[in-house]
Amino acid sequence: MTAILHNEARQLRRSSLILAGAFAVIAAFFLAVFPAMQEEAELIADAYPEYMIVLLGVEELHTIEGFSAGYIYPMLWILFGGIYFAYVGGGMIAGDIRSRKMDLTLSNPVSRESVIAQKVGALWFPLVVLNAALMLIVYGGAAILGESFDLEALLMVHLLSVPYLLVCAGIGLVLSVLLDRAGQAQVMGLGLVFILWLIDGISLLDADYEWVGDLTPSRYYNVNDILVHAEYDFGDASILLVAFLTLVLMATFLFVRRDI
Amino acid sequence: MTAIQVDDLTKQFGEVAANDGVTFDVESGEIFGYLGPNGAGKTTTIRLLLGLLKPTSGTAHVLGADIRDRKALTATKADIGYLPDTLGFDGRLTGHQTLDYFARLHGDERREELLELFDPPLDRAVETYSEGNRRMLGIVQAFMHDPKLVIMDEPTAGLDPLKQDRLHLFIEEERQAGKTLFFSSHTLSEVQRVCDRVGIIRNGRIVAHEEIETLLTQSGKEVWVHLAEPVNEKQFVTDEMIDVEVVENAVHFTYTGHIQGLLEHLVQFDNQDLEIGNPQLDTIFKHYYREEDTIPET
């Protein structure tokens, strides 16, 4: 039975496409300044305060890969992408319960476990659309600028981002099961993802506190390693996948026990 | 066979017992009316039966499945239709898309037949629907997979009188076809009209559970008497008379004793006219609510 999955994916269609459009516009702005920055890359990197370099992970700004890893991916993908998935996760359960849509759903021969699994499964749509869109934008944009983007690195930066985005959705999902209002779960979910991202960056500034960042999902998705150094850490990706599955199990555990 | 068996079902929301030791049963092939004012606990019972809420204590069996056994209850839902009081449809879908969605969830072999009786504008988005159209879409959704048991929460709310009649007729036909229909309502006349048996719930407790006929018989007789002269209440009224209303020469009351006793009492007066009949369910209903005038609004 995949009726819920199809219906949920259809509901995510509009927001995914709008976000893909927004990504295209913002990425175009970023890419437009690349040629100018390329020449002054060293100067710019020197001029940045230390914390900005660490927070955004700025390296090798004169290459298109380094530039993307320093500007486009931290902003668009880790931050906005993460926030979007947390927002979508936050809307999965609480809203349906409040609008009584869940009453109708659960009056069918479908278990609560299946409802969660299908709603999570529906994330395939934004995952495919947003990944494809950003890949095309970055690769196409680089080509227009006369740069050739390392295709393998590009594919890997997207592939390894999937577990990260799923963890963000998982955070939203757990909140969505715990809280009574979709709005609350969505805002808390995206707020939490933003704060975790900040903690990850800030903790890098002080070696004594660097371990705190180990508790944040973005720590396990390093775009610089992938794009600049072609280092693909599947171990980190696995940690994120385990975290995602744990969050889904936790949400399921809570959902099957709560009153609707 | 029993379609629904409710045993001492209790649901607490904090301090409030929305259902307090509710016990009743619904036989297969009957139309059962579940009657009570808003906030009495009808919807809570229904949501417990569907496993949407977990009972605090007690249990119920729906088509043989214990409501505490999630797996068994989920499997049983293929044979259950549900028409909730608040219809949480996805407003952006059209009526067609909504029914397609539920068809994938539970089947739709009777969709076309039902759409001839209940005809919401299927090409329009559900968010533009009137209350009546939403209700009709809900009815089609609840019956289209030909379930053995249909649970309806205030099914006629929002329907125009013509469609209400159509629904009443339809569920009588369904009963004849062997279906079981559980029907909550605060509209007494419709319960009296279509239901075989009735359970009355007040403040989370069942206060009556019987056949409509028995309920009417046990509830005494409704009597109008016109005397030749103004009624002397002290002389006329006996302990068996309740709800006594006196207007000059006329008295209207419910008589709870034996008819023979009433007649023996009446011959002492100069009677001009007399009418004895079964009370309306409304009258009976009033009794169950009058004992506590302060029914908390929930």
Side-chain angles (χ1 to χ4, degrees), chain B residues 102-123:
Chain B
F102 285 104
R104 283 195 291 272
L105 281 169
H106 62 211
D108 67 341
E109 54 265 39
R110 294 184 69 186
R111 173 167 15 180
E112 295 313 317
E113 167 197 350
L114 283 156
L115 285 173
E116 278 169 27
L117 292 172
F118 306 101
D119 49 358
L122 293 178
D123 294 326

Side-chain angles (χ1 to χ4, degrees), chain A residues 192-238:
Chain A
L192 200 57
V193 166
F194 176 66
I195 289 166
L196 287 170
W197 175 78
L198 273 184
I199 290 174
D200 177 25
I202 292 167
S203 71
L204 290 173
L205 294 172
D206 190 329
D208 288 345
Y209 293 103
E210 203 184 320
W211 64 271
V212 179
D214 290 347
L215 301 171
T216 66
S218 49
R219 176 63 55 93
Y220 300 90
Y221 174 55
N222 191 327
V223 287
N224 263 300
D225 284 354
I226 301 169
L227 289 177
V228 179
H229 307 296
E231 285 169 10
Y232 313 133
D233 196 330
F234 292 99
D236 277 359
S238 310

Side-chain angles (χ1 to χ4, degrees), chain A residues 1 3-4 7 10-11 99-101 103-113 256-257 259-260, chain B residues 11 47 51-54 70 74 77 82 84-86 88-90 92-93 97 101 104-106 141:
Chain A
M1 294 249 287
I4 298 170
N7 194 45
R10 168 160 43 191
Q11 286 186 14
S99 70
R100 302 285 297 278
K101 194 175 156 194
D103 279 36
L104 278 174
T105 305
L106 290 177
S107 72
N108 293 290
V110 53
S111 66
R112 295 192 187 194
E113 288 88 342
V256 298
R257 275 158 190 81
D259 283 344
I260 299 300
Chain B
K11 179 65 187 178
R47 301 181 84 238
L52 302 173
L53 303 176
K54 306 262 176 288
R70 287 198 309 118
T74 300
K77 284 177 185 170
Y82 174 43
D85 56 340
T86 306
F89 291 127
D90 186 341
R92 283 167 300 180
L93 299 184
Q97 289 170 326
Y101 172 63
R104 283 195 291 272
L105 281 169
H106 62 211
Q141 171 276 133

